[in-house]
Amino acid sequence: GAVVSQHPSWVICKSGTSVKIECRSLDFQATTMFWYRQFPKQSLMLMATSNEGSKATYEQGVEKDKFLINHASLTLSTLTVTSAHPEDSSFYICSARAEDQPQHFGDGTRLSIL
Amino acid sequence: RKEVEQDPGPFNVPEGATVAFNCTYSNSASQSFFWYRQDCRKEPKLLMSVYSSGNEDGRFTAQLNRASQYISLLIRDSKLSDSATYLCVVRSNSGYALNFGKGTSLLVTP
């Protein structure tokens, strides 16, 4: 079945560090990738939608300068949390879909900022 | 009002019990409906899609009532391995992004 790989799975960093998370579709070309964030005991919240070769579309309340998304190829999207602070600590999950196919989720990245 | 609302539970049931989860959604233009399962500290995994005619997959039965904007999931003969959080998920007709409920926690005990 379709596989989406997310790396790293767990990050612990000091406040002020920038953190890059990678999302790869391993066996299909993803026309669209999505980035979600989930705080403890909360639902997954969509942060942004990313189409290959174009700028990401951010949801209301998500700072595009804070959360940089690059979708340079049909198999790779990256999310960079710039100058991360403790309030950015969360579970970040990507998903990817091919044309007319359901979304497949990555394993998620648990980000802890000290 | 949240787009997708679920009773957070937790539901504690003995093995073999039947348990039902409910979900309501606010956007009447929503087109696709799903139940996902999420284990602790893991990514969500698709359990089943939900169709207007109702659909069944083994011990799991899903129902959709578009008029009431209501979705349900029934689990029969609960197993210990069913313990997880069940997420009600709705996709609107604009784009492919998914709207997740907060999830309903299920704990199946021996």
Side-chain angles (χ1 to χ4, degrees):
Chain A
V3 177
V4 175
S5 170
Q6 197 172 330
H7 177 81
S9 55
W10 201 350
V11 183
I12 302 175
C13 290
K14 291 192 294 187
S15 187
T17 308
S18 291
V19 179
K20 180 187 279 190
I21 303 169
E22 290 188 351
C23 180
R24 293 180 185 272
S25 55
L26 297 186
D27 54 358
F28 68 100
Q29 293 190 321
T31 49
T32 309
M33 288 186 170
F34 304 89
W35 287 96
Y36 294 85
R37 180 169 54 182
Q38 185 178 32
F39 290 106
K41 299 187 185 296
Q42 299 295 316
S43 58
L44 274 78
M45 296 298 294
L46 179 67
M47 298 176 68
T49 302
S50 171
N51 292 299
E52 184 264 339
S54 61
K55 288 185 179 179
T57 302
Y58 289 80
E59 294 299 300
Q60 193 172 13
V62 179
E63 300 174 56
K64 61 181 181 181
D65 296 329
K66 171 80 172 175
F67 300 99
L68 301 178
I69 292 173
N70 185 290
H71 191 165
S73 77
L74 283 170
T75 59
L76 173 65
S77 176
T78 60
L79 168 68
T80 301
V81 184
T82 60
S83 186
H85 292 285
E87 59 266 27
D88 298 322
S89 299
S90 187
F91 189 45
Y92 292 84
I93 308 177
C94 73
S95 69
R97 62 174 292 276
E99 201 66 42
D100 296 329
Q101 295 294 315
Q103 290 185 37
H104 298 278
F105 284 85
D107 292 342
T109 297
R110 196 158 298 280
L111 175 63
S112 295
I113 304 298
L114 307 177
Chain B
R1 184 184 168 192
K2 291 188 189 303
E3 282 213 40
V4 182
E5 301 241 30
Q6 290 180 253
D7 179 348
F11 284 65
N12 293 338
V13 302
E15 264 187 293
T18 295
V19 61
F21 303 140
N22 303 319
C23 167
T24 57
Y25 60 96
S26 60
N27 186 349
S28 58
S30 299
Q31 287 206 334
S32 303
F33 309 89
F34 312 92
W35 282 101
Y36 276 73
R37 171 195 169 128
Q38 186 175 27
D39 292 284
C40 188
R41 297 176 177 268
K42 297 284 189 181
E43 79 282 13
K45 293 187 188 295
L46 179 64
L47 182 65
M48 59 196 302
S49 300
V50 188
Y51 303 111
S52 297
S53 54
N55 48 302
E56 188 174 304
D57 183 1
R59 297 181 293 109
F60 299 85
T61 301
Q63 297 275 354
L64 166 65
N65 184 320
R66 282 187 183 270
S68 304
Q69 295 178 204
Y70 171 93
I71 308 163
S72 66
L73 176 68
L74 184 77
I75 305 176
R76 291 182 300 278
D77 189 23
S78 301
K79 312 291 184 191
L80 296 177
S81 56
D82 293 334
S83 298
T85 297
Y86 290 83
L87 304 171
C88 179
V89 183
V90 173
R91 181 170 72 80
S92 69
N93 60 341
S94 58
Y96 292 91
L98 302 176
N99 291 308
F100 287 81
K102 287 178 70 170
T104 300
S105 294
L106 171 66
L107 178 62
V108 182
T109 54

Coordinates of all heavy atoms in Angstrom, one line a residue, chain A residues 34 36 38 41-44 46 91 93 97 103 105-107 110, chain B residues 2 36 38 40-44 46 87 96-98 100-102:
Chain A
F34 N -0.3 17.7 2.9 CA -1.0 18.5 3.9 C -0.1 18.4 5.2 O 0.5 17.4 5.5 CB -2.4 18.0 4.3 CG -3.3 17.9 3.1 CD1 -3.3 16.8 2.3 CD2 -4.1 18.9 2.8 CE1 -4.1 16.7 1.2 CE2 -5.0 18.9 1.7 CZ -5.0 17.8 0.9
Y36 N -0.5 18.9 9.3 CA -1.4 19.0 10.5 C -0.6 19.2 11.8 O 0.5 18.7 11.8 CB -2.3 17.8 10.6 CG -3.3 17.5 9.4 CD1 -2.8 16.8 8.3 CD2 -4.6 17.9 9.5 CE1 -3.7 16.6 7.2 CE2 -5.5 17.7 8.5 CZ -5.0 17.0 7.3 OH -5.9 16.8 6.3
Q38 N -1.2 18.6 16.1 CA -2.1 18.0 17.1 C -1.6 18.3 18.5 O -0.5 17.7 18.8 CB -2.4 16.5 16.9 CG -3.4 16.0 17.9 CD -3.7 14.5 17.6 OE1 -2.8 13.7 17.2 NE2 -4.9 14.0 17.8
K41 N -4.7 15.9 23.6 CA -6.2 15.9 23.8 C -6.9 16.8 22.9 O -8.1 17.1 23.1 CB -6.5 16.2 25.3 CG -5.9 15.2 26.3 CD -6.5 15.5 27.7 CE -5.8 14.6 28.7 NZ -6.0 13.2 28.5
Q42 N -6.3 17.2 21.8 CA -7.0 18.0 20.8 C -7.1 17.2 19.5 O -6.4 16.2 19.3 CB -6.3 19.3 20.6 CG -6.2 20.2 21.8 CD -7.5 20.6 22.3 OE1 -8.3 21.1 21.6 NE2 -7.7 20.5 23.6
S43 N -7.9 17.8 18.6 CA -8.0 17.2 17.2 C -6.8 17.6 16.4 O -6.2 18.6 16.7 CB -9.3 17.5 16.6 OG -9.4 19.0 16.5
L44 N -6.6 16.9 15.3 CA -5.7 17.3 14.3 C -6.2 18.6 13.7 O -7.4 18.6 13.2 CB -5.5 16.2 13.2 CG -4.5 15.1 13.5 CD1 -5.1 14.1 14.4 CD2 -4.1 14.5 12.2
L46 N -5.5 21.3 10.6 CA -4.8 21.6 9.3 C -4.0 22.9 9.5 O -4.6 23.9 9.9 CB -5.8 21.6 8.2 CG -5.2 21.9 6.8 CD1 -4.3 20.7 6.4 CD2 -6.3 22.2 5.8
F91 N 2.6 17.7 18.1 CA 2.7 16.5 17.2 C 2.4 17.0 15.8 O 1.2 17.4 15.6 CB 1.7 15.4 17.7 CG 1.9 14.1 17.0 CD1 3.2 13.5 16.8 CD2 0.8 13.3 16.6 CE1 3.3 12.3 16.2 CE2 1.0 12.1 16.0 CZ 2.2 11.6 15.8
I93 N 2.0 16.2 11.9 CA 1.7 15.1 11.0 C 1.5 15.6 9.5 O 0.8 16.5 9.3 CB 0.5 14.3 11.4 CG1 0.5 13.9 12.8 CG2 0.3 13.0 10.5 CD1 -0.7 13.1 13.3
R97 N -1.4 12.9 -0.9 CA -2.4 12.2 -1.8 C -2.0 12.4 -3.3 O -1.4 13.4 -3.7 CB -3.8 12.8 -1.6 CG -3.9 14.3 -1.9 CD -5.4 14.7 -1.8 NE -6.2 14.1 -2.9 CZ -6.3 14.6 -4.1 NH1 -5.7 15.7 -4.5 NH2 -7.1 13.9 -5.0
Q103 N -6.0 10.3 1.2 CA -4.7 10.8 1.9 C -4.1 9.6 2.6 O -4.8 8.8 3.2 CB -5.1 11.9 2.8 CG -5.5 13.2 2.2 CD -5.7 14.3 3.2 OE1 -5.0 14.4 4.2 NE2 -6.7 15.1 3.0
F105 N -1.2 9.1 5.7 CA -0.5 9.9 6.7 C 0.9 9.4 7.0 O 1.2 8.2 6.9 CB -1.3 9.9 8.0 CG -2.5 10.7 8.0 CD1 -3.7 10.3 7.4 CD2 -2.5 12.0 8.4 CE1 -4.8 11.1 7.4 CE2 -3.6 12.9 8.4 CZ -4.8 12.4 7.8
G106 N 1.8 10.3 7.3 CA 3.1 10.0 7.8 C 3.0 9.5 9.3 O 1.9 9.6 9.9
D107 N 4.1 9.1 9.8 CA 4.1 8.6 11.2 C 4.0 9.7 12.2 O 3.8 9.5 13.4 CB 5.4 7.8 11.5 CG 5.4 6.5 10.7 OD1 4.3 6.1 10.3 OD2 6.5 5.9 10.6
R110 N 7.1 14.2 16.8 CA 6.8 14.8 18.1 C 7.9 15.8 18.4 O 9.1 15.5 18.5 CB 6.8 13.7 19.2 CG 6.1 14.1 20.5 CD 5.7 12.9 21.3 NE 4.7 12.2 20.6 CZ 3.4 12.5 20.5 NH1 2.9 13.6 21.1 NH2 2.5 11.7 19.8
Chain B
K2 N -17.5 24.1 16.5 CA -16.5 23.3 15.7 C -17.2 22.6 14.5 O -18.4 22.2 14.6 CB -15.9 22.2 16.7 CG -15.0 22.8 17.7 CD -14.3 21.7 18.5 CE -13.6 22.2 19.7 NZ -12.6 23.2 19.4
Y36 N -11.4 7.3 11.5 CA -10.0 7.0 11.6 C -9.8 6.5 13.0 O -10.5 6.8 14.0 CB -9.1 8.2 11.4 CG -8.8 8.6 10.0 CD1 -9.7 9.1 9.1 CD2 -7.5 8.3 9.5 CE1 -9.4 9.4 7.8 CE2 -7.2 8.6 8.1 CZ -8.1 9.2 7.3 OH -7.8 9.5 6.0
Q38 N -6.8 6.3 16.0 CA -5.5 6.8 16.4 C -5.0 6.2 17.7 O -5.7 6.3 18.7 CB -5.5 8.4 16.5 CG -4.1 8.9 16.7 CD -4.1 10.5 16.8 OE1 -5.1 11.1 17.1 NE2 -2.9 11.1 16.4
C40 N -2.2 5.9 20.8 CA -1.5 6.9 21.5 C -0.1 7.2 20.9 O 0.6 6.3 20.5 CB -1.2 6.4 22.9 SG -0.6 7.6 24.0
R41 N 0.1 8.5 20.6 CA 1.4 9.0 20.0 C 1.7 8.4 18.7 O 2.8 8.3 18.2 CB 2.5 8.6 21.0 CG 2.4 9.4 22.3 CD 3.5 8.9 23.3 NE 3.5 9.7 24.5 CZ 4.1 10.8 24.8 NH1 4.9 11.3 23.8 NH2 4.0 11.4 25.9
K42 N 0.6 8.1 17.9 CA 0.8 7.6 16.6 C -0.1 8.4 15.6 O -0.9 9.2 16.0 CB 0.3 6.1 16.5 CG 1.0 5.1 17.4 CD 2.4 4.8 16.8 CE 3.0 3.7 17.6 NZ 4.3 3.3 17.0
E43 N 0.2 8.2 14.3 CA -0.5 8.9 13.3 C -1.9 8.2 13.2 O -2.1 7.0 13.5 CB 0.2 8.9 11.9 CG 0.1 7.6 11.1 CD 1.0 6.5 11.6 OE1 1.6 6.6 12.7 OE2 1.1 5.5 10.9
P44 N -2.9 9.0 12.7 CA -4.2 8.4 12.5 C -4.2 7.4 11.3 O -3.5 7.6 10.3 CB -5.1 9.6 12.1 CG -4.2 10.6 11.7 CD -2.9 10.4 12.3
L46 N -6.8 5.2 8.7 CA -8.1 5.0 8.2 C -8.8 3.7 8.6 O -8.2 2.7 8.3 CB -8.2 5.2 6.6 CG -9.5 5.0 6.0 CD1 -10.4 6.2 6.4 CD2 -9.4 5.0 4.4
L87 N -11.5 8.8 15.5 CA -11.7 10.1 15.0 C -12.7 10.2 13.9 O -12.6 9.4 13.0 CB -10.3 10.6 14.4 CG -9.1 10.6 15.4 CD1 -7.9 10.9 14.6 CD2 -9.3 11.6 16.5
Y96 N -9.1 19.1 -0.6 CA -9.1 17.7 -0.1 C -8.7 17.6 1.3 O -8.5 16.6 1.9 CB -8.1 16.9 -1.0 CG -8.7 16.7 -2.4 CD1 -8.4 17.5 -3.4 CD2 -9.5 15.6 -2.6 CE1 -8.9 17.4 -4.7 CE2 -10.0 15.4 -3.9 CZ -9.7 16.3 -4.9 OH -10.2 16.1 -6.2
A97 N -8.6 18.8 2.0 CA -8.2 18.8 3.4 C -9.2 18.1 4.2 O -10.4 18.2 3.9 CB -7.9 20.2 3.9
L98 N -8.8 17.5 5.3 CA -9.7 16.8 6.2 C -10.0 17.6 7.5 O -9.0 18.2 8.0 CB -9.2 15.4 6.6 CG -8.9 14.5 5.4 CD1 -8.2 13.2 5.9 CD2 -10.1 14.1 4.6
F100 N -11.0 17.1 11.3 CA -11.0 16.0 12.3 C -11.8 16.4 13.5 O -11.7 17.6 14.0 CB -9.6 15.7 12.8 CG -8.8 15.0 11.8 CD1 -8.1 15.6 10.7 CD2 -8.6 13.6 11.9 CE1 -7.4 14.9 9.8 CE2 -7.8 12.9 11.0 CZ -7.2 13.6 9.9
G101 N -12.6 15.5 14.1 CA -13.1 15.7 15.4 C -12.0 15.5 16.4 O -10.9 15.0 16.1
K102 N -12.3 15.8 17.7 CA -11.3 15.6 18.8 C -11.1 14.1 19.1 O -10.1 13.8 19.7 CB -11.7 16.4 20.0 CG -11.5 17.9 19.9 CD -12.0 18.6 21.1 CE -11.1 18.4 22.3 NZ -11.4 19.2 23.4

